[in-house]
């Protein structure tokens, strides 16, 4: 195992899903956020990999959990990518598949013009099954959570159905969210990691489903400046809560010197959705001390998702103020 400090720093799995050593580093892309992956998909399925090489992958579908049409069954061939924003290619190498035979995963798929199917990118649009848990993406493939399969299936199926204007198991989802947020924010240690991952899934599900009745329960996570991952998810969870009280909480986060730039940028995006004109003067006061360093996802220069960027805190603030 990695040493504990390194493990905790990368607690949401700041690494490639399948290991960087097999990827073509000269091909790079801007990785989409998870809501884009789900919105563009036609199917959400559980499948095993029957055959795989760099140019195509054949899946055996075990179950269709979400669909915009008829369920998928049997063999499905993946031949390209539906949400791949390339930045560079080199040596004739384009984007490649890096799944392995016998892998089991949940996949977001889109039917393409060739009559086969597309994955979002080589590194997102799927969640590998590891025993009874899933390497789950709720926010971005840089940030993953190891979550129990029933919780993943419940929440992610609801997210797919919501984004495709379909009914979902609202009562069961709300029960799950309520149970996670009734607990204090989990610490970043070995003992509390399972709780931390469930709370991450709960907060991100609030964001995806646009729920508005968890404002009070979200605040302890927004204020948890010992855990910037929880602050990011809590700031996202407030997107649909467009109230002066919520805006004041987000402003307090922006004013807290202990809070890193990443959750601050997310809070600014949430305020951008709210358009709080009454806070324009307050926000202008923050620009003079706002960082001009890029708030990154982490990773390394050999990561093919290297083109995925956040704006600097100052740039994000400037854009928000200009929109008010």
């Amino acid at each position: 195992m990695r040493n504990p400090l390194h493990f905790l720093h990368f607690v949401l799995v700041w690494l490639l899903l399948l290991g960087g050593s097999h990827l073509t580093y000269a091909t790079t892309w801007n990785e989409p956020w998870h809501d884009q992956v789900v919105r563009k998909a036609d199917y959400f399925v559980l499948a095993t990999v029957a055959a795989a090489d760099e140019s195509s992958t054949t899946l055996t579908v075990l179950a269709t959990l979400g669909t915009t049409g008829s369920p998928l069954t049997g063999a499905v061939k993946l031949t390209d990518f539906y949400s791949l924003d390339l930045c560079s290619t080199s040596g004739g190498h384009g984007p490649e598949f890096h799944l392995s035979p016998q892998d089991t995963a949940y996949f977001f798929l889109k039917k393409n013009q060739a009559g086969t199917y597309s994955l979002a990118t080589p590194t997102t649009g799927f969640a590998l099954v590891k025993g009874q848990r899933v390497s789950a993406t709720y926010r971005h493939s840089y940030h993953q959570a190891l979550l129990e399969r029933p919780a993943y299936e419940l929440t992610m199926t609801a997210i797919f159905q919501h984004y495709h204007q379909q009914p979902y198991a609202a009562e069961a989802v709300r029960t799950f969210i309520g149970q996670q947020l009734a607990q204090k924010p989990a610490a970043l240690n070995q003992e509390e990691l399972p709780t931390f991952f469930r709370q991450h899934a709960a907060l991100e599900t609030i964001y995806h489903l646009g729920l508005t009745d968890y404002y009070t329960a979200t605040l302890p996570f927004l204020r948890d400046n010992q855990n910037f991952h929880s602050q990011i998810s809590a700031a996202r969870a407030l997107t649909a809560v467009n109230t002066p009280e919520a805006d004041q909480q987000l402003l307090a986060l922006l004013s807290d010197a202990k809070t890193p730039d990443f959750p601050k940028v997310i809070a600014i995006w949430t305020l951008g959705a709210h358009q709080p004109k009454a806070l324009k003067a307050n926000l202008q006061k923050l620009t003079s001390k706002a960082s001009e360093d890029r708030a990154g996802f982490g990773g390394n220069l050999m990561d093919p998702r290297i083109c995925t960027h956040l704006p600097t805190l100052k740039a994000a603030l400037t854009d928000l103020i200009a929109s008010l």
Side-chain angles (χ1 to χ4, degrees), residues 145-190:
L146 196 61
L147 193 68
E148 295 84 357
R149 289 179 67 175
Y152 176 80
E153 287 194 4
L154 171 68
T155 53
M156 199 56 68
T157 301
I159 290 167
F160 179 93
Q161 291 169 331
H162 172 73
Y163 280 140
H164 293 88
Q165 294 79 51
Q166 299 169 1
Y168 61 86
E171 183 176 351
V173 169
R174 288 176 180 275
T175 297
F176 171 77
I177 293 172
Q179 289 172 343
Q180 310 319 312
L181 302 194
Q183 305 173 70
K184 67 179 180 64
L188 294 183
N189 58 43
Q190 297 278 21

Side-chain angles (χ1 to χ4, degrees), residues 21-29 53-55 81 84-98 122 304:
S21 61
H22 302 295
L23 291 170
T24 306
Y25 302 132
T27 301
T28 63
W29 53 85
D53 58 37
E54 293 178 344
S55 62
F81 305 96
L84 188 60
D85 180 14
L86 285 173
C87 296
S88 65
T89 58
S90 179
H93 294 288
E96 299 170 344
F97 291 94
H98 299 279

Side-chain angles (χ1 to χ4, degrees), residues 45-107:
V45 303
L46 174 66
T48 57
V49 178
D53 58 37
E54 293 178 344
S55 62
S56 67
T57 295
T58 300
L59 307 178
T60 300
V61 176
L62 304 177
T64 298
L65 288 85
T67 177
T68 58
S70 300
L72 286 182
T73 58
V76 168
K77 189 173 184 179
L78 310 184
T79 57
D80 61 6
F81 305 96
Y82 67 80
S83 196
L84 188 60
D85 180 14
L86 285 173
C87 296
S88 65
T89 58
S90 179
H93 294 288
E96 299 170 344
F97 291 94
H98 299 279
L99 295 159
S100 300
Q102 308 307 315
D103 280 343
T104 298
Y106 295 89
F107 293 88

Side-chain angles (χ1 to χ4, degrees), residues 48 53 69 71 109 135 164 189 197 227 259 279-280 312 322-323:
T48 57
D53 58 37
L109 304 177
S135 293
H164 293 88
N189 58 43
F197 289 140
N227 182 351
T259 301
L279 295 186
K280 186 170 184 177
T312 68
S323 74

Side-chain angles (χ1 to χ4, degrees), residues 177-228:
I177 293 172
Q179 289 172 343
Q180 310 319 312
L181 302 194
Q183 305 173 70
K184 67 179 180 64
L188 294 183
N189 58 43
Q190 297 278 21
E191 293 72 27
E192 296 189 31
L193 273 180
T195 301
F196 169 62
F197 289 140
R198 292 185 208 107
Q199 290 177 335
H200 169 79
L203 289 165
E204 293 290 338
T205 299
I206 292 171
Y207 164 76
H208 288 295
L209 300 183
L211 302 178
T212 59
D213 47 353
Y214 293 99
Y215 169 69
T216 301
T218 299
L219 295 183
F221 298 88
L222 189 73
R223 296 166 179 165
D224 184 12
N225 56 24
Q226 299 300 309
N227 182 351
F228 76 99

